Amino acid sequence: MNDKKLNEILFISKTLNVLYVSLKKDDNDSLLSYLKEKFKKVICSTDGDEAIDIFQNNKISVVITDIEINSLNGFELIENILNINKNILTIIYTQLQNHEYFLKTIELGIDGYLLKPFKEEDLKKILFKSIEKCKVKQENKKIKKNFDLLTQYQELVDKSTIISKTNSKGVITYVNENFCKVSEYTKDELLGKNHNIVKHPDNTKELFSDLWNTIKNEREEWHGIIKNLTKSGKPYYVKTTIKPIMDSKNNIIEYISARSNVSAIMSDKKHLIDKIDENNLSLLVLIQIEEFDMLDKFYNIETINKIEKIFGYNILSCLPSGFIFEDVYNIGNGRFALLTDFFTYSRSEQNINEYLKKFVQNVKESAFEIDDIEYDFNVVISYSFGKEHLFEDAKCGLEDAIEEKGLIKYANDLSIKEHIEAKKNIEVMKMVKIALDNYKIVSYFQPIINNQTKEIEKYESLVRLVDEKGKVLSPFMFLDVSKKGSYYTKITHRVLENSFKMLSYISTELSINLSSLDIEREDTREMLYELLEDNKEDNHRIIFELLEDENVKDFEVIKTFIKKVKKMGVQIAIDDFGSGYSNFERLLNFEPDILKIDGTLVKNIVDNKYSRNVVETIVSFAQKQNIVTIAEFVENEEIFNILNDLGVDYSQGYYFGKPENITIK
């Protein structure tokens, strides 16, 4: 486990309360000592009923229990707790290694099975795997009441770059250089005056009434946008934060104001491109409001325009201090750009990645009020240096960041990579089209062996593409690219045709892979129903193998399909079983006849005790449910013998046979 992951675990653990249930709770308990050191609070109990009361009356995030405790056993305790709150992190801590207990752990959805004696690394692994479940929302307080004056000043300086102070009567006692630069007044012209000197007459009386009531009577921070006038009469907007500063007796002694100039918000992408062309070298930052497309669907155009406008006004106020972007460009669809001359950035000596991380955090901690409704926004960012392909690079980087669910992406040269990738994808598409036209999308068949008899009782149909040079290509070289065009469905239909034709060549059962994308398409479903109707006498030999797919759009369509084909005599298999937490839910939904054990578990089963335990548990579970098991990736005799000893019904892998074109033999 790398240092970054470890630090994340330790950081989160310090915020969590633990309920530890064990008959042993003395100072010699190594786990208890560790929990007290690493977690915020540890509450101990020896009794299951008492533990439930403790859980209901305390903010508990993690429950760790032995199996053997008073009144209830550990499994019963966790089952009761999960009925109260399913989001609790649960761990069994025991010296018992019974595989029935291990099975029970999986069935209840318990997060970890920790064996005695306690090993710190084992607990860290469990915590890391479940880290998303145990994260708790931290309260972010922008300014604490008991900060000393220096801390309060520093925090506000970090928020913005245009600073002023007044005494308790509102008379200006300090302005920084940026205030003078924006307002066009000198310090001598400003000191001793109040802020009316820069106030624009368009501001309403209600705005300033609210401002003074907030900072003077309620003694709270005030936030808002104020329209000001420069000395020469030019209007400008400032995003303003004003905070009353109190002495030790809670008396207001002065006010400090922090502002960001939000006047230069451009609304035309052309202005941005022109500005890039004007500069020799630039730093470009693209900002995307996360899930803006969902907002666009949910709200009317007027509200969307307000959201973009207010967010644009607030961008500069969220930037950390120490470096200034002069302009904000609103380029549409919740996307904004910041641009500056590269050498201006270079002189600032800022680490751009850290700078933008702080900006992302500031946005996350800010509340944006629009029509009396507060909105919380998250952003995704891409940045790029240079001149040529600058906007294209940043745009590609932003799209990558969104797809990868990252926050910040350095994007130089990504457009070149995209061009190369696009060219490669076009070549693959052409290759697929030629193969379809020439019936070179073929099916290869891999045998599946009965472990007891070592006889072939099933085949799995696997798609292959034969290119113009006669080379046989595996699906990973063309199938994903095909999904981006119209060829994927054509490939599926060709495979179905090939597979059903193969029924006349073999006497065994035949397994055909189907993804959720296949089943959700009405034309593919209709083709399957028609093929099954035409091959009624062979339906009992057909297995539809459902592939793992996180992008299921309509579970009801898939469940209806499964019920219908099972009534027609077809068997249902779940592929890659054991590879993810979704599998047991799929069991309940799909009621399969066959489980295909994930190959990553099988290929490591010789040396990996965990893999062996999981496979053993799956087999035990399947046997109780009268479900057949098939192990994939059976590469040698040693793996086969272990699987056979564990009670796996069938094996598939290179040890028994590679995929082949049976019709050619």
Side-chain angles (χ1 to χ4, degrees), residues 79-127:
E79 191 169 8
N80 276 278
I81 284 175
L82 290 176
N83 285 334
I84 299 170
N85 187 340
K86 293 181 179 180
N87 296 318
I88 298 301
L89 174 59
T90 54
I91 298 172
I92 290 289
Y93 178 50
T94 181
Q95 62 185 2
L96 303 174
Q97 298 190 46
N98 188 316
H99 81 274
E100 292 291 330
Y101 290 150
F102 191 59
L103 174 62
K104 187 71 173 176
T105 301
I106 294 177
E107 289 178 330
L108 287 177
I110 296 171
D111 297 283
Y113 197 92
L114 191 62
L115 292 174
K116 297 180 180 181
F118 169 65
K119 293 180 182 178
E120 181 179 349
E121 190 61 30
D122 292 343
L123 179 58
K124 287 177 182 175
K125 287 179 180 177
I126 293 171
L127 291 174

Side-chain angles (χ1 to χ4, degrees), residues 37 43 93 157 261 266 274 278 378 399 550 552 665:
E37 178 185 350
I43 304 176
Y93 178 50
V157 168
N261 187 357
M266 314 295 285
D274 290 344
E278 289 174 13
N378 291 322
E399 290 166 356
E550 296 178 355
V552 176
K665 292 176 64 176

Side-chain angles (χ1 to χ4, degrees), residues 290-305:
E290 269 196 322
E291 299 183 349
F292 185 80
D293 55 338
M294 297 298 293
L295 292 174
D296 200 18
K297 292 174 183 176
F298 191 78
Y299 296 107
N300 59 34
I301 188 66
E302 182 181 356
T303 302
I304 290 298
N305 288 339

